[in-house]
Amino acid sequence: MPRAVVAGASGFIGAAMCEALVADGYDVVRIGRREAVSWHDPARIAEVVEGADVVVNFAGKSVNCRYTDPNRDEILSSRVQTTAALRTAIAAAARPPRVWINSSTATIYAHAMDRPHTEDGSIGEGFSVDVARNWEQEFFAGDLPGTRRVALRMAIVLGDGPATKLLLTLARLGLGGPQHDGPWFPHRRYRGIGSDPSGPDVGPPVHRTRGRQKFSWIHLDDVIRAIRFLIDRDDLEGPVNLSSPHPSDNAELMRTLRRTVGMPVGLPSWRWMLEPAMWLLRTEPELILKSRWVLPGVLTDAGFEFSHPDLGEAVNGIVARDDQAPRTAS
C-alpha cells in the first residue's frame, strides 16, 4: 500500500482527508499532538516520511479565537514550526515523497472590492497576512528536488467546521443581517507579526463596505476533491487557490443563511455591535468584515470541476446533513 502522511489530522478538514485517502487505498499515518506520531519526535517523523508517497499538512492553531498575544504567537508558531519539521524530514529522506501539499490561506491577499485575486494577486498586510507569508516562506524554503510542493490558499471552508457553525448561529439568533465595518477603539491585535511585520502598528483597519464585502468560500467536499486532483497532477505546483468559482458577498451570504435556517429576521450589525459580540464568542470581527475576493485560477485552468459551485445549494446541503445527523442523548 502506498503511504500517506497527514499532519493536523484531528481537525474537520484533516479528518475528512484521512477518510478519503484510506478510501483511495493509502496506508495513512497521522502526525499531531494526540496522534501516534508526535511533533516532539523528529526521528519518528523522519521515519514515516521516508518512502511515503504523499504528505499533507493541515497543522495549526485555529484562527477562530481572540488575537491575544499568546494566541497570536501560537497561531504563527504552530504553522511555521510544524512545516519546518516536515521540511527537515523530507530534505533528509533518501526516498522523499513525490508530493507535499501544505495548507495555507486565501487571507494572504489584500482586502479587495474592485477585483478578484487569482494566484498572482496582490498580497495584503497585517497579522493574518504575515502569518500566511511566513507559513509559505517556510514551506517553499530550500531545495527539495524529489518533491513537488503545493500550498493550498484556502478560502473559508463550509462544512461541519467552526466558521460555518458561527455563521449559522448568528442567523438562527436573528443576527443574520449584513455586517458593516466602521470605527472602533484603537487596538494592536491586528498588527504585523514575524521577522518582517507589515501594516500599521495600531488598528483596526476600517473599510466602508456597507455589508458588501466579498465572501470567498469552498465546500469541504471540494477541498478533498481538489487535493486528490492536485496529488494526481504532476504538472501543478506552487500556490493554488481553493475557492468556489462563484464567490458571494456578505449580504447575500447572510440572506442565504437566514433562508436556509428559516429565520425571517436578520438584524444588520455594525462594528460597534460586533466587537462586544465577538468578544463574548471569543473570536474576531476580522473573520467576517474583511473582503476576501478570490478565484481558483490554477484549478480552473487545469480543468477541475467543482461539485458545489453555488452558495445556496452548498449551505442547504450542509444544514440538511446536520439536521439528519444522530444526536447524543443528554
Side-chain angles (χ1 to χ4, degrees), residues 164-180:
T164 309
K165 291 177 179 178
L166 172 62
L167 292 168
L168 289 171
T169 297
L170 292 174
R172 288 182 172 121
L173 292 174
L175 302 176
Q179 283 102 28
H180 300 258

Side-chain angles (χ1 to χ4, degrees), residues 3 74 97 126-127 145 194 242:
R3 186 188 322 134
E74 187 178 355
F127 169 67
L242 262 59

Side-chain angles (χ1 to χ4, degrees), residues 126-304:
F127 169 67
S128 298
V129 172
D130 286 352
V131 169
R133 285 195 304 109
N134 283 272
W135 198 2
E136 290 192 6
Q137 286 170 6
E138 183 63 47
F139 177 55
F140 288 116
D143 187 24
L144 300 178
T147 302
R148 176 169 54 93
R149 286 178 277 187
V150 180
L152 304 175
R153 290 180 174 175
M154 279 190 284
I156 293 177
V157 180
L158 298 184
D160 187 26
T164 309
K165 291 177 179 178
L166 172 62
L167 292 168
L168 289 171
T169 297
L170 292 174
R172 288 182 172 121
L173 292 174
L175 302 176
Q179 283 102 28
H180 300 258
D181 204 347
W184 184 248
F185 299 105
H187 62 73
R188 303 181 68 239
R189 299 196 307 275
Y190 299 162
R191 70 190 186 279
I193 196 171
S195 58
D196 183 26
S198 66
D201 193 52
V202 177
V206 177
H207 304 282
R208 302 291 186 176
T209 55
R210 297 180 173 83
R212 290 293 179 179
Q213 61 268 29
K214 297 299 182 178
F215 177 78
S216 290
W217 60 277
I218 184 170
H219 193 286
L220 176 62
D221 293 349
D222 281 326
V223 171
I224 304 304
R225 292 180 62 254
I227 294 174
R228 282 168 157 163
F229 183 83
L230 292 166
I231 288 173
D232 293 338
R233 287 290 298 263
D234 292 337
D235 57 324
L236 300 179
E237 61 183 349
V240 175
N241 291 347
L242 262 59
S243 60
S244 166
H246 300 150
S248 177
D249 63 28
N250 180 261
E252 180 187 353
L253 165 69
M254 301 313 294
R255 184 165 56 248
T256 301
L257 292 171
R258 294 196 307 270
R259 183 170 60 247
T260 302
V261 301
M263 172 57 71
V265 177
L267 297 177
S269 304
W270 283 261
R271 183 184 281 272
W272 63 267
M273 301 165 64
L274 288 169
E275 287 283 355
M278 293 303 185
W279 179 81
L280 289 172
L281 293 171
R282 308 311 299 161
T283 188
E284 288 288 345
E286 180 191 57
L287 300 176
I288 54 177
L289 291 178
K290 180 176 179 178
S291 184
R292 296 171 171 85
W293 196 357
V294 182
L295 292 178
V298 169
L299 287 177
T300 299
D301 291 345
F304 179 76

Side-chain angles (χ1 to χ4, degrees), residues 15-67:
M17 190 74 249
C18 288
E19 290 182 8
L21 290 169
V22 169
D24 291 343
Y26 285 90
D27 173 25
V28 175
V29 179
R30 298 166 173 83
I31 301 176
R33 289 174 297 177
R34 297 182 296 274
E35 305 293 348
V37 181
S38 168
W39 290 114
H40 300 295
D41 191 350
R44 180 68 176 133
I45 293 173
E47 180 182 338
V48 298
V49 164
E50 178 74 39
D53 187 57
V54 176
V55 173
V56 187
N57 178 28
F58 300 106
K61 176 179 172 58
S62 172
V63 297
N64 186 28
C65 64
R66 297 294 287 178
Y67 293 168

Side-chain angles (χ1 to χ4, degrees), residues 94-114:
R95 293 175 295 128
R98 63 181 178 88
V99 58
W100 176 16
I101 296 178
N102 211 70
S103 185
S104 182
T105 173
T107 303
I108 196 171
Y109 299 112
H111 174 100
M113 293 290 291
D114 56 340

